Each structure stands twice: as structure tokens, then as C-alpha cells.
Coordinates of all heavy atoms in Angstrom, one line a residue:
M3 N 0.9 -1.2 0.0 CA 0.0 0.0 0.0 C 0.9 1.2 0.0 O 1.8 1.4 0.7 CB -0.9 0.1 1.3 CG -1.9 1.1 1.3 SD -3.0 1.0 2.7 CE -2.1 2.1 3.8
T4 N 0.6 2.2 -0.9 CA 1.4 3.4 -0.9 C 0.5 4.6 -0.3 O -0.7 4.7 -0.6 CB 1.7 3.8 -2.4 OG1 2.3 2.6 -2.9 CG2 2.5 4.9 -2.5
V5 N 1.1 5.3 0.5 CA 0.5 6.6 1.0 C 1.3 7.7 0.4 O 2.5 7.7 0.5 CB 0.6 6.5 2.6 CG1 0.1 7.8 3.1 CG2 -0.2 5.4 3.2
Y6 N 0.6 8.7 0.1 CA 1.3 9.9 -0.5 C 1.1 11.1 0.4 O 0.1 11.3 1.0 CB 0.7 10.2 -1.9 CG 0.8 9.2 -2.9 CD1 -0.1 8.2 -3.1 CD2 2.0 9.1 -3.6 CE1 0.1 7.1 -4.0 CE2 2.3 8.1 -4.5 CZ 1.3 7.1 -4.8 OH 1.6 6.1 -5.6
C7 N 2.2 11.9 0.4 CA 2.2 13.1 1.3 C 1.1 14.1 0.8 O 1.1 14.3 -0.4 CB 3.6 13.7 1.1 SG 3.8 15.2 2.0
P8 N 0.4 14.5 1.7 CA -0.6 15.6 1.4 C 0.0 17.0 0.9 O -0.7 17.8 0.4 CB -1.5 15.8 2.6 CG -0.6 15.3 3.7 CD 0.4 14.3 3.1
N9 N 1.3 17.1 1.2 CA 1.9 18.4 0.9 C 2.6 18.4 -0.5 O 2.2 19.2 -1.3 CB 2.9 18.8 2.0 CG 3.6 20.1 1.6 OD1 3.1 21.0 1.6 ND2 5.0 19.9 1.4
C10 N 3.5 17.4 -0.7 CA 4.2 17.3 -2.0 C 3.8 16.2 -2.9 O 4.2 16.2 -4.0 CB 5.7 17.2 -1.7 SG 6.2 15.7 -0.9
H11 N 2.9 15.3 -2.4 CA 2.4 14.3 -3.2 C 3.4 13.2 -3.6 O 3.1 12.4 -4.5 CB 1.7 14.9 -4.4 CG 0.9 16.0 -4.1 ND1 -0.4 15.9 -3.3 CD2 0.9 17.2 -4.4 CE1 -1.0 17.0 -3.2 NE2 -0.2 18.0 -3.8
Q12 N 4.6 13.2 -2.9 CA 5.6 12.0 -3.0 C 5.1 11.0 -2.1 O 4.4 11.1 -1.2 CB 6.9 12.6 -2.8 CG 7.4 13.7 -3.7 CD 7.4 13.3 -5.1 OE1 8.0 12.2 -5.5 NE2 6.6 13.9 -6.1
K13 N 5.8 9.8 -2.3 CA 5.6 8.7 -1.5 C 6.0 9.0 0.0 O 7.0 9.7 0.4 CB 6.3 7.5 -2.0 CG 5.7 6.9 -3.2 CD 6.5 5.6 -3.6 CE 5.9 5.0 -4.9 NZ 6.7 3.8 -5.2
A14 N 5.2 8.4 0.9 CA 5.5 8.5 2.3 C 5.6 7.1 2.9 O 5.1 6.2 2.4 CB 4.3 9.3 3.0
R15 N 6.2 6.9 4.0 CA 6.4 5.8 4.6 C 5.6 5.7 5.9 O 5.5 6.6 6.6 CB 7.9 5.6 5.1 CG 8.3 4.3 5.7 CD 9.7 4.3 6.1 NE 9.9 5.4 6.9 CZ 10.9 6.1 7.1 NH1 12.0 5.8 6.7 NH2 11.0 7.3 7.7
I16 N 4.9 4.5 6.1 CA 4.1 4.5 7.3 C 5.0 4.0 8.4 O 5.7 2.9 8.5 CB 3.0 3.2 7.1 CG1 2.1 3.6 5.9 CG2 2.1 3.1 8.3 CD1 1.2 2.5 5.4
T17 N 5.0 4.8 9.5 CA 5.9 4.5 10.6 C 5.3 3.8 11.7 O 5.9 3.0 12.5 CB 6.5 5.8 11.1 OG1 5.5 6.7 11.5 CG2 7.5 6.4 10.1
S18 N 3.9 3.9 11.9 CA 3.2 3.2 12.9 C 1.6 3.2 12.6 O 1.2 4.0 11.8 CB 3.4 3.7 14.3 OG 2.9 5.0 14.4
R19 N 1.0 2.3 13.2 CA -0.4 2.2 13.0 C -1.1 2.1 14.3 O -0.7 1.5 15.2 CB -0.7 0.9 12.2 CG -2.2 0.5 12.1 CD -2.3 -0.8 11.4 NE -3.6 -1.3 11.4 CZ -4.4 -1.6 10.3 NH1 -3.8 -1.8 9.2 NH2 -5.7 -1.9 10.4
N20 N -2.2 2.8 14.4 CA -3.0 2.9 15.6 C -4.4 2.4 15.3 O -5.3 3.2 14.7 CB -3.1 4.2 16.3 CG -3.9 4.3 17.6 OD1 -4.0 3.2 18.3 ND2 -4.3 5.3 18.1
N21 N -4.9 1.1 15.5 CA -6.1 0.6 15.3 C -7.3 1.4 16.1 O -7.0 1.6 17.2 CB -6.2 -0.9 15.5 CG -5.4 -1.6 14.6 OD1 -5.4 -1.3 13.4 ND2 -4.7 -2.7 15.1
M22 N -8.2 1.8 15.5 CA -9.3 2.6 16.1 C -10.4 1.7 16.6 O -11.4 2.3 17.3 CB -9.8 3.7 15.2 CG -8.6 4.6 14.6 SD -7.7 5.5 16.0 CE -8.9 6.6 16.5
N23 N -10.5 0.5 16.1 CA -11.6 -0.3 16.7 C -11.1 -1.8 16.9 O -10.1 -2.2 16.4 CB -12.9 -0.3 15.8 CG -12.5 -0.8 14.4 OD1 -11.4 -1.1 14.0 ND2 -13.5 -0.8 13.5
D24 N -11.9 -2.7 17.6 CA -11.4 -3.9 17.9 C -11.3 -4.8 16.6 O -10.6 -5.7 16.5 CB -12.4 -4.7 18.9 CG -12.4 -4.0 20.3 OD1 -11.3 -3.4 20.5 OD2 -13.2 -4.2 21.0
E25 N -12.1 -4.5 15.6 CA -12.2 -5.3 14.4 C -10.9 -4.9 13.5 O -10.7 -5.6 12.4 CB -13.4 -5.0 13.6 CG -14.7 -5.6 14.3 CD -15.2 -4.6 15.4 OE1 -14.7 -3.4 15.4 OE2 -15.9 -5.0 16.2
K26 N -10.2 -3.9 13.8 CA -9.1 -3.5 13.1 C -9.5 -3.1 11.6 O -8.6 -3.2 10.7 CB -7.9 -4.5 13.0 CG -7.5 -4.9 14.4 CD -6.4 -5.9 14.4 CE -6.0 -6.4 15.8 NZ -5.1 -7.5 15.8
T27 N -10.6 -2.6 11.4 CA -11.0 -2.1 10.1 C -10.8 -0.6 9.9 O -10.9 -0.1 8.8 CB -12.5 -2.4 9.8 OG1 -13.4 -1.7 10.9 CG2 -12.8 -3.9 9.9
V28 N -10.6 0.2 10.9 CA -10.2 1.5 10.9 C -8.9 1.8 11.7 O -8.9 1.3 12.9 CB -11.4 2.4 11.4 CG1 -11.1 3.9 11.3 CG2 -12.7 2.1 10.7
A29 N -8.0 2.5 11.0 CA -6.8 2.8 11.7 C -6.2 4.1 11.3 O -6.4 4.5 10.2 CB -5.7 1.7 11.4
D30 N -5.6 4.7 12.2 CA -4.8 5.9 12.0 C -3.4 5.4 11.5 O -2.8 4.6 12.2 CB -4.7 6.8 13.3 CG -5.9 7.8 13.4 OD1 -6.7 7.8 12.4 OD2 -6.0 8.3 14.4
L31 N -2.9 5.9 10.4 CA -1.5 5.5 9.9 C -0.6 6.8 10.1 O -1.0 7.9 9.6 CB -1.6 5.1 8.5 CG -2.5 4.0 8.1 CD1 -2.4 3.8 6.6 CD2 -2.1 2.8 8.9
Y32 N 0.4 6.6 11.0 CA 1.4 7.7 11.1 C 2.4 7.5 10.0 O 3.1 6.5 9.9 CB 2.0 7.6 12.6 CG 1.0 8.0 13.5 CD1 0.0 7.0 14.0 CD2 1.0 9.2 14.2 CE1 -0.9 7.4 14.9 CE2 0.1 9.6 15.1 CZ -0.9 8.7 15.5 OH -1.9 9.0 16.5
C33 N 2.7 8.6 9.3 CA 3.4 8.5 8.0 C 4.6 9.6 8.1 O 4.4 10.6 8.6 CB 2.6 8.7 6.8 SG 1.2 7.6 6.7
S34 N 5.7 9.3 7.3 CA 6.7 10.3 7.1 C 6.9 10.5 5.6 O 7.2 9.4 5.0 CB 8.0 9.9 7.8 OG 7.8 9.8 9.1
C35 N 6.9 11.6 5.1 CA 7.2 11.9 3.7 C 8.6 11.5 3.4 O 9.5 11.7 4.2 CB 7.0 13.3 3.4 SG 7.3 13.7 1.7
T36 N 8.9 10.9 2.2 CA 10.2 10.4 1.8 C 10.9 11.5 1.0 O 12.1 11.3 0.7 CB 10.2 9.1 1.1 OG1 9.4 9.3 -0.1 CG2 9.6 8.0 2.0
N37 N 10.3 12.5 0.7 CA 10.9 13.6 -0.2 C 11.8 14.4 0.8 O 11.4 15.0 1.7 CB 9.8 14.5 -0.8 CG 10.3 15.6 -1.6 OD1 11.5 15.9 -1.6 ND2 9.4 16.4 -2.0
K38 N 13.1 14.4 0.4 CA 14.1 15.1 1.3 C 14.0 16.6 1.3 O 14.4 17.3 2.1 CB 15.6 14.8 0.8 CG 15.9 15.1 -0.6 CD 17.3 14.9 -0.9 CE 17.7 15.2 -2.3 NZ 17.5 16.5 -2.8
D39 N 13.1 17.1 0.4 CA 12.8 18.6 0.4 C 11.6 18.8 1.2 O 11.1 20.0 1.3 CB 12.7 19.1 -1.0 CG 14.1 19.0 -1.7 OD1 15.1 19.2 -1.1 OD2 14.0 18.8 -2.9
C40 N 11.0 17.8 1.7 CA 9.7 18.0 2.5 C 9.8 17.5 3.9 O 9.8 18.2 4.9 CB 8.5 17.4 1.7 SG 7.0 17.5 2.5
Y41 N 9.9 16.0 3.9 CA 10.0 15.4 5.3 C 8.8 15.5 6.3 O 9.0 15.6 7.4 CB 11.3 15.6 6.0 CG 12.5 14.9 5.4 CD1 13.8 15.3 5.4 CD2 12.3 13.5 4.9 CE1 14.9 14.5 5.0 CE2 13.4 12.8 4.4 CZ 14.7 13.3 4.5 OH 15.6 12.6 4.0
A42 N 7.8 15.9 5.6 CA 6.5 16.2 6.5 C 6.2 14.9 7.2 O 6.3 13.8 6.6 CB 5.3 16.8 5.7
T43 N 5.6 14.9 8.5 CA 5.1 13.8 9.1 C 3.6 14.2 9.3 O 3.1 15.3 9.5 CB 5.6 13.5 10.4 OG1 5.6 14.7 11.3 CG2 7.2 13.2 10.3
F44 N 2.8 13.1 9.2 CA 1.3 13.3 9.1 C 0.6 12.0 9.5 O 1.1 11.0 9.5 CB 0.7 13.9 7.8 CG 1.1 12.9 6.7 CD1 0.1 12.0 6.2 CD2 2.3 13.0 6.0 CE1 0.4 11.2 5.2 CE2 2.6 12.1 4.9 CZ 1.6 11.2 4.5
V45 N -0.7 12.2 9.9 CA -1.5 11.0 10.2 C -2.7 11.0 9.1 O -3.3 12.0 8.8 CB -2.2 11.2 11.6 CG1 -3.1 10.0 11.8 CG2 -1.1 11.4 12.6
T46 N -2.9 9.8 8.5 CA -4.0 9.5 7.6 C -4.8 8.3 8.1 O -4.4 7.7 9.0 CB -3.4 9.4 6.2 OG1 -4.5 9.4 5.2 CG2 -2.7 7.9 6.0
T47 N -6.0 8.3 7.5 CA -6.9 7.3 8.1 C -7.1 6.1 7.1 O -7.3 6.4 5.9 CB -8.2 7.8 8.5 OG1 -8.1 8.8 9.4 CG2 -9.2 6.7 9.0
L48 N -7.0 4.9 7.5 CA -7.4 3.8 6.6 C -8.6 3.1 7.1 O -8.8 2.9 8.3 CB -6.1 2.7 6.9 CG -6.3 1.3 6.2 CD1 -6.3 1.5 4.6 CD2 -5.4 0.3 6.7
G49 N -9.5 2.9 6.3 CA -11.0 2.3 6.6 C -11.4 1.3 5.6 O -11.3 1.6 4.4
F50 N -11.9 0.3 6.2 CA -12.7 -0.7 5.4 C -14.0 0.0 4.7 O -14.6 0.6 5.5 CB -13.1 -2.0 6.2 CG -14.0 -2.9 5.6 CD1 -13.5 -3.8 4.7 CD2 -15.3 -2.9 5.9 CE1 -14.4 -4.6 4.0 CE2 -16.2 -3.7 5.2 CZ -15.8 -4.7 4.4
K51 N -14.2 -0.3 3.5 CA -15.4 0.2 2.9 C -16.5 -0.8 2.7 O -17.5 -0.7 3.3 CB -15.0 1.0 1.7 CG -16.1 1.9 1.0 CD -15.7 2.7 -0.1 CE -16.8 3.6 -0.6 NZ -16.3 4.4 -1.7
H52 N -16.3 -1.8 1.8 CA -17.2 -2.8 1.6 C -16.6 -4.1 1.0 O -15.5 -3.8 0.3 CB -18.5 -2.3 0.8 CG -18.1 -1.7 -0.5 ND1 -17.9 -2.7 -1.6 CD2 -17.8 -0.6 -1.0 CE1 -17.5 -1.8 -2.7 NE2 -17.5 -0.6 -2.4
Y53 N -17.2 -5.2 1.0 CA -16.7 -6.2 0.3 C -17.0 -6.3 -1.2 O -18.1 -5.7 -1.5 CB -17.3 -7.7 0.9 CG -17.0 -7.9 2.2 CD1 -17.9 -7.9 3.3 CD2 -15.7 -8.5 2.5 CE1 -17.5 -8.2 4.6 CE2 -15.3 -8.8 3.7 CZ -16.2 -8.7 4.8 OH -15.7 -9.0 6.1
L54 N -16.2 -6.7 -2.0 CA -16.5 -7.1 -3.5 C -17.1 -8.5 -3.5 O -17.9 -8.7 -4.4 CB -15.2 -6.9 -4.2 CG -14.7 -5.5 -4.3 CD1 -13.3 -5.5 -5.1 CD2 -15.6 -4.5 -4.9
N55 N -16.5 -9.4 -2.8 CA -17.2 -10.7 -2.7 C -17.2 -11.0 -1.2 O -16.3 -10.7 -0.5 CB -16.2 -11.9 -3.3 CG -16.2 -11.5 -4.8 OD1 -17.2 -11.6 -5.6 ND2 -15.0 -11.2 -5.3
P56 N -18.4 -11.6 -0.7 CA -18.4 -12.0 0.7 C -17.4 -13.0 1.0 O -16.9 -13.9 0.1 CB -19.8 -12.5 0.9 CG -20.2 -13.0 -0.4 CD -19.5 -12.1 -1.5
P57 N -17.0 -13.0 2.2 CA -16.0 -14.2 2.7 C -16.6 -15.5 2.4 O -17.9 -15.7 2.5 CB -15.8 -13.9 4.3 CG -16.3 -12.5 4.5 CD -17.4 -12.1 3.4
L58 N -15.7 -16.5 2.0 CA -16.2 -17.8 1.7 C -17.0 -18.4 2.8 O -18.0 -19.1 2.6 CB -15.0 -18.7 1.4 CG -15.2 -20.1 0.9 CD1 -16.0 -20.1 -0.3 CD2 -14.0 -20.9 0.7
Q59 N -16.6 -18.2 4.0 CA -17.4 -18.9 5.2 C -18.8 -18.3 5.2 O -19.8 -19.0 5.5 CB -16.7 -18.4 6.5 CG -17.1 -19.3 7.6 CD -16.2 -19.1 8.9 OE1 -15.6 -18.0 9.0 NE2 -16.1 -20.1 9.8
S60 N -19.0 -17.0 4.9 CA -20.4 -16.5 4.9 C -21.1 -17.1 3.7 O -22.4 -17.3 3.9 CB -20.3 -14.9 4.6 OG -19.6 -14.3 5.7
T61 N -20.6 -17.3 2.7 CA -21.2 -17.9 1.4 C -21.7 -19.3 1.8 O -22.8 -19.7 1.5 CB -20.4 -17.9 0.2 OG1 -20.0 -16.6 0.0 CG2 -21.1 -18.4 -1.0
M62 N -20.7 -20.1 2.5 CA -21.0 -21.5 2.8 C -22.2 -21.5 3.9 O -23.2 -22.3 3.8 CB -19.9 -22.1 3.4 CG -18.8 -22.5 2.3 SD -19.4 -23.7 1.1 CE -19.6 -25.2 2.2
Q63 N -22.2 -20.5 4.8 CA -23.2 -20.5 5.9 C -24.5 -20.2 5.2 O -25.6 -20.7 5.7 CB -22.9 -19.6 6.9 CG -23.7 -19.6 8.2 CD -23.7 -21.0 8.8 OE1 -22.6 -21.5 9.1 NE2 -24.8 -21.7 9.0
L64 N -24.5 -19.3 4.3 CA -25.8 -18.9 3.6 C -26.3 -20.0 2.8 O -27.5 -20.4 2.9 CB -25.4 -17.7 2.6 CG -26.6 -17.2 1.8 CD1 -27.7 -16.5 2.7 CD2 -26.1 -16.2 0.8
A65 N -25.5 -20.9 2.2 CA -25.9 -22.0 1.5 C -26.5 -23.1 2.4 O -27.5 -23.7 2.2 CB -24.8 -22.6 0.7
V66 N -25.9 -23.3 3.5 CA -26.3 -24.2 4.6 C -27.6 -23.8 5.1 O -28.6 -24.6 5.2 CB -25.2 -24.4 5.7 CG1 -25.9 -25.1 6.8 CG2 -24.0 -25.1 5.2
N67 N -27.8 -22.5 5.3 CA -29.2 -22.1 5.9 C -30.2 -22.2 4.9 O -31.4 -22.6 5.2 CB -29.0 -20.5 6.3 CG -28.2 -20.4 7.5 OD1 -27.8 -21.3 8.2 ND2 -27.6 -19.1 7.7
L68 N -29.9 -21.9 3.6 CA -30.9 -22.1 2.6 C -31.3 -23.6 2.3 O -32.5 -23.9 2.2 CB -30.4 -21.5 1.2 CG -30.4 -20.0 1.1 CD1 -29.6 -19.6 -0.1 CD2 -31.8 -19.5 1.1
L69 N -30.3 -24.4 2.4 CA -30.6 -25.9 2.1 C -31.3 -26.4 3.4 O -32.1 -27.4 3.1 CB -29.3 -26.6 2.0 CG -28.5 -26.5 0.6 CD1 -27.1 -27.0 0.6 CD2 -29.3 -27.0 -0.4
S70 N -31.1 -25.9 4.5 CA -31.8 -26.5 5.7 C -33.3 -26.2 5.6 O -34.1 -26.8 6.4 CB -31.2 -25.9 7.1 OG -31.5 -24.6 7.1
T71 N -33.7 -25.3 4.8 CA -35.1 -24.9 4.7 C -35.9 -25.8 3.7 O -37.0 -26.0 3.7 CB -35.5 -23.5 4.2 OG1 -34.9 -23.4 2.8 CG2 -34.7 -22.5 5.1
L72 N -35.0 -26.7 2.9 CA -35.6 -27.6 2.1 C -35.8 -29.0 2.7 O -35.1 -29.5 3.6 CB -34.7 -27.8 0.9 CG -34.4 -26.6 0.0 CD1 -33.4 -26.8 -1.1 CD2 -35.6 -26.0 -0.6
S73 N -36.8 -29.8 2.1 CA -37.0 -31.2 2.6 C -35.9 -32.0 2.0 O -35.1 -31.6 1.1 CB -38.3 -31.7 2.2 OG -38.3 -31.8 0.7
K74 N -35.7 -33.2 2.5 CA -34.6 -34.2 2.0 C -34.9 -34.5 0.6 O -33.9 -34.4 -0.3 CB -34.7 -35.4 2.8 CG -33.5 -36.3 2.4 CD -33.5 -37.5 3.3 CE -32.3 -38.4 2.9 NZ -32.1 -39.6 3.8
A75 N -36.2 -34.6 0.2 CA -36.5 -34.9 -1.3 C -36.2 -33.7 -2.1 O -35.6 -33.8 -3.2 CB -38.0 -35.2 -1.4
E76 N -36.4 -32.5 -1.5 CA -36.0 -31.2 -2.4 C -34.6 -31.1 -2.6 O -34.1 -30.7 -3.6 CB -36.6 -30.1 -1.7 CG -38.2 -29.9 -1.8 CD -38.8 -28.8 -0.9 OE1 -38.2 -28.5 0.2 OE2 -39.8 -28.3 -1.3
R77 N -33.8 -31.4 -1.5 CA -32.4 -31.3 -1.5 C -31.7 -32.2 -2.5 O -30.9 -32.0 -3.3 CB -31.8 -31.6 -0.2 CG -31.8 -30.4 0.8 CD -31.1 -30.7 2.1 NE -32.1 -30.7 3.1 CZ -32.0 -31.1 4.3 NH1 -30.9 -31.7 4.6 NH2 -33.0 -31.0 5.2
L78 N -32.3 -33.6 -2.6 CA -31.9 -34.6 -3.5 C -32.3 -34.0 -5.0 O -31.4 -34.3 -5.8 CB -32.6 -36.0 -3.1 CG -32.0 -36.6 -2.0 CD1 -32.9 -37.9 -1.6 CD2 -30.6 -37.0 -2.0
A79 N -33.4 -33.6 -5.1 CA -33.9 -33.1 -6.4 C -32.9 -31.9 -6.9 O -32.5 -32.0 -8.1 CB -35.3 -32.6 -6.4
L80 N -32.6 -31.1 -6.0 CA -31.7 -30.0 -6.3 C -30.3 -30.6 -6.7 O -29.7 -30.1 -7.7 CB -31.5 -29.1 -5.1 CG -30.5 -27.9 -5.2 CD1 -31.2 -26.9 -6.3 CD2 -30.4 -27.1 -3.9
L81 N -29.8 -31.4 -5.9 CA -28.5 -32.1 -6.3 C -28.5 -32.8 -7.6 O -27.5 -32.7 -8.4 CB -28.0 -33.0 -5.2 CG -27.5 -32.4 -4.0 CD1 -27.3 -33.4 -2.7 CD2 -26.2 -31.6 -4.2
K82 N -29.6 -33.4 -7.9 CA -29.8 -34.1 -9.1 C -29.8 -33.2 -10.3 O -29.0 -33.3 -11.4 CB -31.0 -35.0 -9.1 CG -31.2 -35.9 -10.3 CD -32.3 -36.8 -10.2 CE -32.6 -37.9 -11.2 NZ -32.0 -37.7 -12.4
G83 N -30.5 -32.1 -10.1 CA -30.5 -31.1 -11.1 C -29.2 -30.4 -11.4 O -28.8 -29.9 -12.4
A84 N -28.4 -30.3 -10.3 CA -27.2 -29.5 -10.4 C -26.1 -30.5 -11.1 O -25.2 -30.0 -11.8 CB -26.5 -29.2 -9.0
I85 N -26.2 -31.8 -11.1 CA -25.3 -32.7 -11.8 C -25.7 -32.8 -13.2 O -24.8 -33.0 -13.9 CB -25.3 -34.1 -11.0 CG1 -24.7 -33.8 -9.5 CG2 -24.5 -35.1 -11.7 CD1 -24.9 -35.1 -8.7
D86 N -26.9 -32.9 -13.5 CA -27.4 -33.1 -14.8 C -26.9 -31.9 -15.9 O -26.9 -30.9 -15.4 CB -29.0 -33.3 -15.0 CG -29.3 -34.7 -14.3 OD1 -28.5 -35.4 -14.2 OD2 -30.5 -34.6 -14.0
Ligands
ZN8 ZN1 6.1 15.6 1.3

């Protein structure tokens, strides 16, 4: 991950991270600009926004929950249809 200096727009180095929640989805990143003519230090925020694909475990749990609503005959018919 690259962080850019808000002053000179050159690359900055992350020197430390302070997680802002227990899930570690939001964090303050303490950064130092690598431009020798700037050397600004600053704090920027990193935050989780949304999934592009749900975690595999969530998908499997969703499938299990859906299948549990079907009768055994319906499940067998579904599997037979999926194989054909
Ligand atoms: Zn800079």
C-alpha cells in the first residue's frame, strides 16, 4: 500500500499504525514523507469500505441455511438437477 504526502504528493512511509476499533477495520496511519525537500510527518486514516465478494465462510453458511429450509426430497432433487 502506498501513502502519498498531502503536501508534496510524493511517497510517504508508514511508521506506525493505531487501530481505532477492535475489528481493526479503521486505523490511523502515522506517516513520514520520503521527499528530502519536505520530510513532513502526518496522520492519515485507513478504513474498510465494503466487500466485493463476501467471505467464503459467509457464502457457505448462507448455502447451509438455505438448504436447511428444504426437505430431504427437495435437496436430492436440487443435487440431481445440479449434476445433470
Ligand atoms: Zn512531502
Side-chain angles (χ1 to χ4, degrees):
M3 185 175 95
T4 304
V5 174
Y6 295 94
C7 175
N9 178 60
C10 69
H11 313 293
Q12 298 298 306
K13 288 183 180 179
R15 187 183 46 204
I16 300 168
T17 56
S18 65
R19 173 188 176 124
N20 184 25
N21 292 318
M22 303 303 289
N23 60 358
D24 291 339
E25 296 79 17
K26 301 178 184 175
T27 57
V28 179
D30 280 347
L31 303 178
Y32 289 77
C33 304
S34 295
C35 178
T36 59
N37 177 358
K38 64 179 174 53
D39 295 324
C40 178
Y41 280 150
T43 59
F44 58 94
V45 180
T46 192
T47 301
L48 172 71
F50 170 80
K51 190 168 183 181
H52 60 82
Y53 289 111
L54 296 176
N55 293 299
L58 184 58
Q59 200 170 23
S60 297
T61 304
M62 288 297 289
Q63 192 58 52
L64 182 63
V66 167
N67 290 346
L68 284 171
L69 288 173
S70 71
T71 65
L72 300 176
S73 68
K74 185 174 181 178
E76 289 171 325
R77 280 183 245 165
L78 289 171
L80 179 67
L81 286 172
K82 188 172 184 341
I85 294 169
D86 290 342

